[in-house]
Amino acid sequence: MTKVGIFGLLVTHLPDLRYLCGFTGSSAAFAVTRRQARLFTDGRYTTQAAEEVRGARVGIVTGPPAIAAVEWLRTQPGIEGAAFDPSATTVAELSRWRASLPVRVRKSFLSELVEPLVMPLRMVKDEDELALISEAALIGCRLFEHILGFIRPGLREIDVAAELEYKARRLGAEGMSFETIVASGERSALPHGRATLTPLTRKGFLTLDFGIIHKGYLSDMTRTVYLGNPSVRERGAYEAVLEAQESGVGAVRAGARCGDVDEAARSVLRIAGLAEAFTHSSGHGVGLEIHEPPRIGAGQTDRLLAGMVVTIEPGVYLAGQFGIRIEDMVVVTRTGGKVLTPAPKALIQL
Ligand code: ZN
Ligand code: ZN
């Protein structure tokens, strides 16, 4: 805060404040000065906040926590203003916060952060975080192994999703990271094909993209399997995606440009004549949220740092025909990328 010249910081984005003080409840605001910090929440969380919050005092309030946080910041000695994260603030929230301030400071007290302040910290995971993310990823791998024995013709996509999600809970998951993707046959050409009532095709690709929440940290992986016997063309496309994915993983290391990692995957598909069918970026950061910076996309000049966790997930999508995606979670180290999701990637036929 001293470095960027701010006296006070208001944090309302829940993953950010969880990261800063440990609180996991659903209603809170976090206020920081250069000297101290305070978490504001409501009476439902009195016990939980006392147990969870570290490095800050807790204020239990009856009104909106953010309003209390703004009031607290304004009355701290030596504070001329406070900054907030515009990407985590709605227009309505900001006008409510401003309306709560005395008229003479209403316009001047709150200002937008020019650069995000918490996300750069969250992007680089410490050892404890990496251990949790790795555990989450391994639970994902066990789920994939389990679901391979469950998939059979006659099931619907939602049956597969239901089994996966039930098993996830039994393995200790707090929940799923996002809506489970189970996309069979032609539907595998939808990059985000949520599980539907559609029966699994007898012959064709089946894409499974899923993740679990483990102690707040998320996993994310994709595997595409084949029901029946693939054609030469289908197998060729699968091999191209696998080669692209491994090329992307191989390009991960501290100091690498995100755009270069994307290109390592994309160029393989370009050579295979499938560049047009690869319609999204190659990956994203993952941690307390499913899509965090950095983005592994074409032309991205940001450089990877040791301790970041990113996905590498190229895919090809041919509308009306089929789609294929393979996704691993990879932790960035100084010497390369370490895959956290060691589930098999060679084409599995069921
Ligand atoms: Zn995914
Ligand atoms: Zn992903």
Side-chain angles (χ1 to χ4, degrees):
M1 287 169 63
T2 306
K3 212 151 98 184
V4 297
I6 61 171
F7 295 93
L9 178 68
L10 172 64
V11 180
T12 55
H13 186 50
L14 293 171
D16 282 351
L17 69 83
R18 175 182 187 147
Y19 180 82
L20 293 173
C21 75
F23 183 66
T24 66
S26 64
S27 166
F30 192 60
V32 194
T33 70
R34 293 183 188 182
R35 291 157 183 268
Q36 56 174 327
R38 189 165 294 201
L39 178 91
F40 295 89
T41 183
D42 64 61
R44 293 171 299 169
Y45 291 113
T46 307
T47 308
Q48 186 180 325
E51 281 171 3
E52 290 179 342
V53 175
R54 295 284 174 273
R57 294 182 58 185
V58 175
I60 303 295
V61 295
T62 48
I67 301 281
V70 170
E71 170 66 11
W72 181 80
L73 282 166
R74 188 184 64 79
T75 53
Q76 293 310 293
I79 293 208
E80 291 161 26
F84 62 92
D85 179 355
S87 70
T89 304
T90 66
V91 173
E93 279 170 330
L94 180 58
S95 65
R96 278 199 298 273
W97 299 344
R98 290 215 160 117
S100 77
L101 287 162
V103 177
R104 79 195 146 74
V105 293
R106 195 163 283 172
K107 284 224 171 79
S108 61
F109 187 75
L110 291 170
S111 61
E112 294 183 15
L113 275 174
V114 180
E115 296 266 321
L117 213 52
V118 183
M119 202 61 230
L121 305 175
R122 281 179 48 196
M123 270 199 285
V124 175
K125 276 71 181 173
D126 66 24
E127 267 176 39
D128 293 341
E129 293 181 290
L130 288 176
L132 294 177
I133 293 171
S134 174
E135 283 164 24
L138 288 176
I139 293 171
C141 292
R142 285 177 66 190
L143 282 173
F144 177 64
E145 200 178 305
H146 171 77
I147 210 69
L148 287 178
F150 178 82
I151 293 166
R152 60 181 187 280
L155 293 174
R156 300 162 302 176
E157 290 172 349
I158 54 162
D159 296 322
V160 176
E163 178 66 18
L164 198 76
E165 292 174 8
Y166 176 74
K167 185 70 179 177
R169 281 294 208 171
R170 298 294 305 228
L171 289 175
E174 286 156 20
M176 305 308 286
S177 308
F178 53 91
E179 243 182 295
T180 302
I181 291 171
V182 179
S184 147
E186 279 183 25
R187 292 194 73 256
S188 61
L190 303 170
H192 276 180
R194 295 190 186 107
T196 65
L197 294 166
T198 312
L200 302 185
T201 46
R202 297 204 151 270
K203 182 177 151 29
F205 285 111
L206 173 64
T207 299
L208 306 158
D209 185 352
F210 58 93
I212 61 116
I213 309 171
H214 172 60
K215 297 182 182 168
Y217 285 85
L218 276 49
S219 77
D220 183 11
M221 68 183 282
T222 307
R223 289 293 183 271
T224 302
V225 298
Y226 202 92
L227 304 189
N229 283 312
S231 67
V232 171
R233 181 164 169 264
E234 286 168 326
R235 183 175 283 281
Y238 186 90
E239 293 305 328
V241 173
L242 179 54
E243 196 190 326
Q245 203 268 347
E246 288 179 338
S247 172
V249 171
V252 171
R253 64 176 166 73
R257 274 202 195 88
C258 292
D260 293 343
V261 176
D262 179 86
E263 179 60 18
R266 200 170 296 278
S267 58
V268 173
L269 292 172
R270 195 177 300 123
I271 291 161
L274 290 165
E276 303 276 290
F278 178 20
T279 49
H280 52 75
S281 54
S282 291
H284 54 86
V286 56
L288 289 169
E289 290 178 279
I290 189 62
H291 291 125
E292 298 182 354
R295 193 165 80 82
I296 313 292
Q300 294 284 313
T301 54
D302 295 342
R303 287 180 191 274
L304 294 175
L305 300 171
M308 287 179 166
V309 175
V310 296
T311 67
I312 300 294
E313 50 176 310
V316 299
Y317 310 94
L318 300 166
Q321 301 176 55
F322 60 82
I324 299 156
R325 180 168 62 256
I326 303 170
E327 173 180 30
D328 281 322
M329 292 171 76
V330 183
V331 54
V332 181
T333 78
R334 272 183 300 166
T335 49
K338 183 171 164 278
V339 172
L340 298 177
T341 41
K345 290 192 276 194
L347 184 57
I348 293 171
Q349 289 175 236
L350 296 171

